[in-house]
Amino acid sequence: MQTVYTDVLVIGAGLAGERAALECADAGLSTICLSVVPARRSHSSAAQGGMQAALGNCAMGEGDGPDVHFADTVKGSDWGCDQEVARLFVDTAPVEMRRLAFWGVPWNRVVPGKSSYFKGGQKYEKVEKEENKGLITARAFGGTAKWRTCYVSDGTGHSVLFTMDNRCAQLGVEVHDKTEAVSLIHDGETCFGAVARCLKTGELRVYLAKATMIATGGFGRIYPNTTNAVICDGGGHILAVNTGAVPMGNMEAVQFHPTGIVPTDILVTEGCRGDGGTLLDVNQERFMHIYEPEKAELASRDVVSRWMTHHIRQGKGVPSPYGEHLWLDIRHLGEKHITGKLREVYEICTSFLGINPIHQLIPVRPTHHYSMGGVRTNKDGAAYGLKGLFSAGEAACWDMHGFNRLGGNSLAETVVAGGIVGRKMAEYALGAEVIFKSTVIDGEARAQEERIQALISGKNGSQSVYKVRAAMQEALNKGANIFRNAPDLEACVATLQDVLGRAREVGLKSSGLGASPELAAALKIEGQVKMALMVAHGALQRTESRGSHNREDFPARNDRDWLVRTLATWKSPEDTLPTLAYEPATQVFEIPPGDRGYGKTDVISAESKKE
Amino acid sequence: MGRLLQFNIFRYNPQDPESVPHTDTFVLEETDSMTLFIALNRIREEQDSSLQFDFCCRAGICGSCGMVINGRPGLACHTKTKDLPSDVTLLPLPVFRLVGDLSVDTGSWFREMYNTVESWIHTKKTFDPSALEERMDNGTAEGIYELDRCVECGCCVAACGTARMRQDFLGAVALNRIARFVIDPRDERTDQEYYDIIGNDHGIFGCMGLLACEDVCPKHLPLQNQLGFLRRKMGITALKSIFRK
Ligand SMILES: Cc1cc2nc3c(=O)[nH]c(=O)nc-3n(C[C@H](O)[C@H](O)[C@H](O)COP(=O)(O)OP(=O)(O)OC[C@H]3O[C@@H](n4cnc5c(N)ncnc54)[C@H](O)[C@@H]3O)c2cc1C
Ligand code: SF4
Ligand code: SF4
Ligand code: FES
């Protein structure tokens, strides 16, 4: 088995991973990123909207600053975030946007003079200042007090990721693509690197490093319907879960987006509704105004998703071979608007659905979109539980998002956290005296070889990995979706425990030789079910509603008992449930818990505890 | 009942000593809005779990799923079966190294390409975190982005006669990449420096100008314009260097 030594190993080559790798390379450390796809295909490239940073250059951004960004972020999180981390984030974001400009990102810029924009279907006018000409401009996004989202036309993630990867090539950061980490090498105290499988040849390889980072993005694919890429399957999280030492933070915090298209769950932008699009049911009738008389389709993401699901449950969904859905109607906006301001939506509809949205309805449903939970780290990005292990980006629970992430805050997080955590990781690697224990390394390599042999020979059973995976996705979909309640969650947990048993009996149908996609799926199925159980079990225990976590049986936000972060650990491989523990959501309060200013909820205040 | 679709798929697993290149046939009933992404996944999950192919974003954004679809390179995820006849033949992209079945190694090819063209901003300046960003005209920024939209799917390379004949041909994608830096005011490279990279047969003078690259580009990049732009610019640079001697 080939062994590769490096100072720093970054598992993941999306924006967070590459940004961190650059800090280490800058500090003179040898740095390797692993990725299951070429770096530039990482899911960061799919983000079109943009990234938030309070530069305040454009007319509608005047008066913006880190403090305003901070307040938006904390409210967005429904006070579930770590406020120290949110502060660090908002203060650093503007510098990172400028750095990206220096490295080559062609940000859209301020154009002085009069121009018009739409809000709620109405036309308004604004004037950009001459003195700001050519500075980075911004657009509007949900949940923000100011226009703060920096963007590159409709391809922000793509452009930023290409620039980041260019920079990696320039500084000699190696990216080993089509290489998938399958386990961490550790002795229960310190992490020494990872065992990885080459997805070109199927060979196993050992990577040894002083510092290791998990930057593997989201894990949306444990749900059946998600806007996430097919590689966002939790492969990186599983590495941490399987150590038994590293806890996952707030796994029950799962964000759903109202308008994923059916069948492929590709996202169509919130702009459709922002510009006046409406949602229709099976009778082609509007329904949002019945539930939310004031805001109707323009209520917040979690609220709209909730009512859409409710309406489908009332029997008003449109049946299709891919399950029930609703309609998004933008026909009345007219051809000019649709092929102009909503060009992207137009292209998605024509190329993926064969539907012309100028004359036809778009099939949509609320779809899994973002994972607030992940590998729990401290504010330096160091994972709890193992020395030398770090995490950043969507894979991490660094925790500036709490129970609901604001649009545009994730892409910004990847570069901000990547920079901060990358520096901390470089410091650690420069100071660390790591003694690689050969017995530990050999033991882990052998364990992985044996695991693969068992799957190929069918030693543990002959369950189909695809069927087990579908059963897991279906269970989560039913029990741990937008609406949650005790009976459904209990049933979900019980089903998942049964599925866990089946996952332990998977055997391959194919030979497993070479890049074998079936083997890749089989290697992570048990870990995926464990993560699903962390989501469901954590949601069952959390008897309140906060951000994206909606308990029908506990509708109030309960700051008295639940202003805490869930920590879920899989203590022993034989366990059938994760072990849960809790820690305060934040040590520091710049803003005490209060009203978010949108989405009406009852609050059980923290003070009521003392009475 | 929907149409019955017949998929003729190239099969070969180089890591399996018993595998020989051949075609396998799979039959699938067509459903509403079916794409090749849906079809291939169904074949793998229901009929042959060893089938190799690449998808990532499945939304036409990442460039993973390039393959030859009934003779033409394209992105499989945004190809609808209803636009195809009931007989569908799928082959891996040529030029790139085969990983197995429909999966090829584009990553190594593109990394080599962007190392060759030094696909990054060349500047002597250093970043000052306390200063305002350098200003840029919005039109220039949008112009750069127009060329930056390439997703490195490899379709243009696979369709290019020159690239199939000579391994060292950089391809329209690389020339487009150079053009992106030529128009970027932040890049301080001179025309002569660009000429040193592409002023030869594996660069701008190897292209036969047959347009296949632009025809298949799923992002509709203006590849021909860029080839023309560089050919004129490099022609002038070549003349200048002859007169200098
Ligand atoms: C459709 C869509 C649109 C979005 N739009 C926006 C937006 O406009 N603004 C915004 O702020 N956010 C947006 N987001 C969210 C944002 O894009 C992501 O949260 C963010 O890009 C994640 O970046 P990352 O670096 O953490 O991970 P990713 O970019 O997902 O990278 C993960 C990396 O890990 C690698 N990897 C995974 N598993 C393994 C393994 N086992 N071994 C080795 N490597 C592995 C992958 O190959 C990849 O390189 C959007 C998300 C989606 C789904
Ligand atoms: S025009 Fe040039 S680069 Fe394009 S396909 Fe033809 S030979 Fe290749
Ligand atoms: S130029 Fe077009 S066809 Fe060629 S790699 Fe880029 S996106 Fe694909
Ligand atoms: S899977 Fe990303 S372009 Fe087809």
Side-chain angles (χ1 to χ4, degrees):
Chain A
M1 199 177 296
Q2 194 193 344
T3 303
V4 181
Y5 290 89
T6 178
D7 292 326
V8 175
L9 176 69
V10 178
I11 304 170
L15 277 177
E18 289 207 324
R19 179 69 189 84
L22 284 174
E23 286 297 323
C24 297
D26 239 1
L29 296 161
S30 64
T31 309
I32 297 177
C33 291
L34 307 184
S35 174
V36 295
V37 290
R40 294 165 185 233
R41 308 214 193 291
S42 301
H43 204 45
S44 292
S45 71
Q48 299 174 330
M51 49 216 287
Q52 287 201 43
L55 292 164
N57 292 333
C58 67
M60 305 298 288
E62 257 173 56
D64 199 12
D67 291 346
V68 189
H69 191 183
F70 177 80
D72 285 346
T73 302
V74 174
K75 284 178 195 166
S77 83
D78 219 353
W79 278 272
C81 74
D82 183 326
Q83 296 197 14
E84 240 181 308
V85 169
R87 173 50 71 183
L88 206 57
F89 164 69
V90 297
D91 287 348
T92 315
V95 180
E96 287 295 325
M97 296 313 123
R98 294 185 176 124
R99 194 192 311 272
L100 289 171
F102 182 78
W103 284 346
V105 173
W107 293 118
N108 279 57
R109 305 295 176 132
V110 175
V111 180
K114 264 191 204 165
S115 56
S116 60
Y117 66 98
F118 288 87
K119 195 179 163 195
Q122 291 242 295
K123 200 168 178 174
Y124 297 87
E125 209 159 71
K126 64 181 174 64
V127 182
E128 298 289 351
K129 286 189 180 147
E130 188 62 40
E131 70 211 56
N132 288 342
K133 183 180 179 190
L135 294 176
I136 300 171
T137 191
R139 59 163 50 133
F141 243 58
T144 65
K146 302 279 176 187
W147 288 21
R148 183 189 298 133
T149 307
C150 309
Y151 64 100
V152 182
S153 298
D154 54 3
T156 309
H158 171 92
S159 195
V160 175
L161 185 60
F162 271 48
T163 301
M164 197 72 80
D165 195 45
N166 282 342
R167 181 81 187 158
C168 281
Q170 186 183 0
L171 294 198
V173 171
E174 281 183 50
V175 179
H176 294 190
D177 70 19
K178 281 192 179 273
T179 304
E180 182 164 41
V182 293
S183 78
L184 290 181
I185 303 169
H186 69 98
D187 61 1
E189 275 173 24
T190 308
C191 180
F192 303 121
V195 178
R197 185 168 161 264
C198 172
L199 299 180
K200 295 175 195 169
T201 61
E203 284 160 354
L204 286 184
R205 230 179 270 148
V206 168
Y207 286 88
L208 296 181
K210 291 180 187 162
T212 304
M213 169 178 268
I214 295 176
T216 50
F219 55 90
R221 288 278 158 183
I222 66 171
Y223 279 84
N225 316 114
T226 170
T227 60
N228 287 194
V230 296
I231 60 163
C232 300
D233 55 13
H237 300 82
I238 294 168
L239 309 175
V241 169
N242 283 344
T243 62
V246 179
M248 300 284 124
N250 279 348
M251 291 293 275
E252 64 271 34
V254 177
Q255 186 174 73
F256 294 82
H257 197 291
T259 55
I261 62 170
V262 184
T264 44
D265 297 287
I266 296 166
L267 194 68
V268 291
T269 173
E270 216 162 276
C272 291
R273 282 170 291 129
D275 294 353
T278 53
L279 291 165
L280 306 181
D281 62 19
V282 66
N283 304 319
Q284 303 206 8
E285 283 167 6
R286 278 186 75 196
F287 56 91
M288 274 306 299
H289 63 290
I290 304 170
Y291 302 118
E292 293 280 330
E294 224 164 279
K295 295 215 130 187
E297 279 86 354
L298 292 177
S300 60
R301 261 184 206 181
D302 48 336
V303 174
V304 179
S305 295
R306 242 178 279 159
W307 288 127
M308 287 170 77
T309 311
H310 172 81
H311 206 62
I312 290 176
R313 281 187 185 174
Q314 301 298 304
K316 298 289 179 66
V318 184
S320 87
Y322 305 97
E324 287 178 273
H325 62 75
L326 294 159
W327 299 114
L328 175 64
D329 185 5
I330 58 172
R331 295 173 301 185
H332 51 286
L333 301 183
E335 175 163 4
K336 189 158 164 272
H337 190 99
I338 294 171
T339 55
K341 275 200 83 174
L342 298 173
R343 177 178 121 192
E344 226 182 273
V345 175
Y346 180 76
E347 281 179 8
I348 287 171
C349 290
T350 46
S351 42
F352 291 93
L353 296 171
I355 275 174
N356 181 347
I358 300 167
H359 308 295
Q360 288 169 288
L361 300 172
I362 310 168
V364 294
R365 69 181 158 211
T367 291
H368 171 281
H369 183 59
Y370 186 82
S371 320
M372 270 76 71
V375 179
R376 177 64 186 142
T377 71
N378 65 15
K379 67 172 190 252
D380 295 340
Y384 285 17
L386 280 185
K387 268 192 300 200
L389 182 65
F390 296 78
S391 184
E394 192 174 341
C397 179
W398 185 39
D399 200 2
M400 50 169 280
H401 303 305
F403 273 75
N404 177 59
R405 160 179 83 85
L406 291 184
N409 255 0
S410 173
L411 224 45
E413 177 193 17
T414 61
V415 292
V416 173
I420 292 172
V421 178
R423 267 190 301 283
K424 293 290 175 188
M425 186 163 59
E427 256 170 47
Y428 173 87
L430 287 167
E433 189 59 59
V434 179
I435 299 153
F436 296 117
K437 299 182 182 166
S438 59
T439 49
V440 174
I441 298 160
D442 296 345
E444 191 55 44
R446 210 172 321 109
Q448 295 311 314
E449 258 169 2
E450 280 165 13
R451 205 150 75 91
I452 289 173
Q453 277 321 310
L455 287 167
I456 291 176
S457 68
K459 187 172 147 225
N460 302 329
S462 59
Q463 290 278 350
S464 147
V465 61
Y466 299 117
K467 290 202 172 124
V468 174
R469 192 171 70 187
M472 165 190 73
Q473 291 171 335
E474 200 39 49
L476 271 186
N477 199 36
K478 268 195 185 154
N481 211 304
I482 293 169
F483 282 116
R484 297 153 177 209
N485 59 56
D488 286 351
L489 282 167
E490 276 159 13
C492 175
V493 169
T495 310
L496 286 172
Q497 284 178 314
D498 176 56
V499 175
L500 181 64
R502 289 171 61 195
R504 288 168 174 166
E505 291 165 8
V506 160
L508 299 194
K509 306 257 177 303
S510 63
S511 69
L513 290 175
S516 179
E518 190 187 17
L519 179 58
L523 280 169
K524 61 190 130 205
I525 186 65
E526 187 181 339
Q528 285 178 317
V529 182
K530 288 178 182 170
M531 288 171 59
L533 275 161
M534 288 178 167
V535 173
H537 187 51
L540 176 60
Q541 300 309 314
R542 185 176 280 271
T543 48
E544 65 153 356
S545 293
R546 183 182 299 274
S548 65
H549 173 70
N550 294 293
R551 284 289 297 260
E552 295 169 292
D553 42 357
F554 295 94
R557 190 182 86 207
N558 183 343
D559 292 334
R560 184 189 62 205
D561 305 316
W562 288 103
L563 201 54
V564 292
R565 180 175 303 105
T566 309
L567 299 176
T569 316
W570 207 276
K571 294 270 187 204
S572 150
E574 294 81 40
D575 286 354
T576 60
L577 268 187
T579 305
L580 302 186
Y582 297 92
E583 65 176 7
T586 184
Q587 300 287 346
V588 176
F589 280 100
E590 258 189 71
I591 310 182
D595 183 27
R596 296 169 92 190
Y598 47 83
K600 49 174 180 7
T601 32
D602 297 331
V603 177
I604 301 171
S605 81
E607 269 78 59
S608 57
K609 196 184 267 178
K610 290 158 201 149
E611 283 161 20
Chain B
M1 189 172 134
R3 281 192 301 172
L4 285 185
L5 302 176
Q6 179 172 317
F7 292 91
N8 312 303
I9 301 179
F10 173 84
R11 303 301 305 273
Y12 179 51
N13 182 353
Q15 304 300 321
D16 179 353
E18 282 169 23
S19 174
V20 283
H22 66 285
T23 301
D24 274 348
T25 298
F26 304 93
V27 176
L28 214 57
E29 190 190 327
E30 191 171 31
T31 48
D32 273 0
S33 308
M34 189 185 241
T35 61
L36 287 181
F37 168 74
I38 295 171
L40 283 169
N41 276 287
R42 267 186 59 191
I43 293 173
R44 179 154 77 195
E45 289 177 21
E46 295 162 15
Q47 302 188 30
D48 186 337
S49 56
S50 68
L51 185 61
Q52 293 184 45
F53 50 77
D54 290 320
F55 286 98
C56 178
C57 72
R58 56 79 180 94
I61 299 169
C62 75
S64 293
C65 61
M67 58 182 74
V68 180
I69 304 157
N70 282 352
R72 194 184 154 86
L75 294 181
C77 70
H78 80 40
T79 302
K80 297 176 292 292
T81 54
K82 87 173 171 39
D83 296 336
L84 296 171
S86 58
D87 233 33
V88 183
T89 300
L90 302 176
L91 300 171
L93 290 182
V95 183
F96 302 99
R97 219 193 65 215
L98 182 77
V99 173
D101 302 340
L102 300 174
S103 170
V104 295
D105 177 8
T106 47
S108 306
W109 194 96
F110 278 100
R111 176 94 189 208
E112 198 174 312
M113 180 280 278
Y114 58 82
N115 280 337
T116 308
V117 306
E118 301 190 0
S119 166
W120 51 83
I121 301 279
H122 290 55
T123 177
K124 294 196 182 64
K125 295 182 190 142
T126 49
F127 177 66
D128 175 0
S130 61
L132 273 188
E133 62 271 23
E134 214 167 285
R135 290 166 199 258
M136 185 187 267
D137 175 64
N138 191 54
T140 307
E142 285 179 352
I144 295 169
Y145 175 68
E146 271 311 290
L147 305 186
D148 230 359
R149 281 164 44 245
C150 164
V151 293
E152 302 193 346
C153 63
C155 289
C156 60
V157 181
C160 170
T162 307
R164 289 202 200 190
M165 281 183 310
R166 37 187 314 169
Q167 279 294 308
D168 60 355
F169 183 56
L170 282 167
V173 59
L175 299 168
N176 176 70
R177 181 66 47 84
I178 291 273
R180 178 240 177 271
F181 287 101
V182 170
I183 65 166
D184 193 325
R186 292 167 293 195
D187 196 308
E188 294 164 0
R189 277 180 278 186
T190 61
D191 285 351
Q192 183 62 45
E193 285 171 280
Y194 292 121
Y195 185 81
D196 291 343
I197 304 172
I198 56 167
N200 48 37
D201 277 359
H202 62 246
I204 195 72
F205 302 123
C207 162
M208 302 179 291
L210 298 176
L211 291 165
C213 49
E214 180 161 327
D215 277 357
V216 298
C217 176
K219 290 286 158 190
H220 310 293
L221 286 165
L223 298 175
Q224 280 312 306
N225 285 343
Q226 298 319 311
L227 288 167
F229 164 68
L230 286 180
R231 201 176 287 121
R232 280 191 305 277
K233 208 170 168 68
M234 292 301 117
I236 294 168
T237 309
L239 283 177
K240 274 192 198 151
S241 62
I242 290 166
F243 286 122
R244 222 182 289 134
K245 272 175 202 156

